[in-house]
Amino acid sequence: PKFGLIYQPVKDKVALFANYLNGFSNPAPSLNAATNVYTYWKPEQANQLEGGVKLDLLDNRISSTISYYMIKVKDKVRDMGDGTAAQDGTQESKGFEIDIIANPVNGLNIVAGYGYNDNSFTLDTKANQGKRAPWTPKNVANGWISYRIMKGAAKGLGAGAGFNYAGQVYFDVDEKFSVPAYTVFNGTVFFDQAKYRISVKVNNLAGTEYWNFYGQPQKPREILGSISYKF
């Protein structure tokens, strides 16, 4: 089941929202070492609550969404440490997200976002109790700013730059192996006309050495050029 509500205290400018969602996941059957019999577990259940506000201000020149969420998972299968398992484990995840889009003047566009996530195994084996789930950074953020000339002989000429940030993540619940936090900067220059567009983009401007959440190495500095024609 899922359920949601939206209320606009200021029409087309301020909207409050809330929603509820239930989901499930089927754990794989497991062999009980004590009895040598397969156990077919019931589905794990997750319940999510989310609420927030959406803003459209200054004649839609600034738009923002701010939300808070909480997810609780129950009926997780956990190892009891004696060769048996029980389906009473729980996990909790909560945090907030902020997204902003702004066009303060014609031709100028700003996009920014930030997310915070706090999660933990609230009932699990002794070794996992209170630890974070793997591959989940606490903090992520992004930003992008671009400007395009709107009038004159250089109309359509523009440039943009931005970044992506991800906090440290662990590969395992024991928190022994991790991927360090990283920030990657990107930039572009373009010339956009009614019938064609020419652009050059540089990803990872600083040549940062970094890995994704799963430990896979990512591309070094990359330069991309494109020419497109519009029919």
Side-chain angles (χ1 to χ4, degrees), residues 29-42:
S30 59
L31 185 64
N32 190 318
T35 61
N36 202 34
V37 174
Y38 270 102
T39 300
Y40 294 88
W41 307 103
K42 63 184 180 181

Side-chain angles (χ1 to χ4, degrees), residues 33-192:
T35 61
N36 202 34
V37 174
Y38 270 102
T39 300
Y40 294 88
W41 307 103
K42 63 184 180 181
E44 299 175 353
Q45 296 286 335
N47 294 288
Q48 174 181 297
L49 290 171
E50 182 184 21
V53 58
K54 180 174 175 59
L55 306 172
D56 286 299
L57 307 174
L58 303 178
D59 295 327
N60 296 322
R61 287 192 176 273
I62 298 178
S63 298
S64 179
T65 301
I66 304 170
S67 63
Y68 173 84
Y69 63 89
M70 180 171 61
I71 304 170
K72 291 189 175 183
V73 183
K74 64 178 182 177
D75 298 330
K76 292 184 67 67
V77 178
R78 65 187 184 103
D79 184 0
M80 300 301 291
D82 58 359
T84 64
Q87 195 174 24
D88 61 354
T90 58
Q91 185 178 353
E92 186 175 293
S93 179
K94 55 188 176 182
F96 63 91
E97 299 176 351
I98 301 174
D99 294 299
I100 300 173
I101 300 175
N103 304 103
V105 297
N106 291 339
L108 179 63
N109 184 62
I110 301 170
V111 178
Y114 172 74
Y116 172 81
N117 174 260
D118 180 19
N119 74 68
S120 63
F121 295 101
T122 49
L123 178 60
D124 209 301
T125 61
K126 185 177 180 180
N128 295 353
Q129 188 79 21
K131 299 288 185 64
R132 289 181 65 84
W135 312 310
T136 58
K138 270 191 177 183
N139 300 281
V140 293
N142 67 281
W144 183 264
I145 181 170
S146 64
Y147 180 74
R148 180 193 311 208
I149 297 173
M150 305 298 291
K151 297 179 181 180
K155 180 181 178 180
L157 180 64
F163 74 94
N164 290 288
Y165 168 81
Q168 181 187 36
V169 296
Y170 287 98
F171 288 163
D172 55 358
V173 181
D174 294 334
E175 299 182 352
K176 293 181 178 179
F177 301 97
S178 66
V179 172
Y182 66 83
T183 303
V184 177
F185 295 94
N186 310 302
T188 185
V189 176
F190 58 87
F191 187 56
D192 194 9

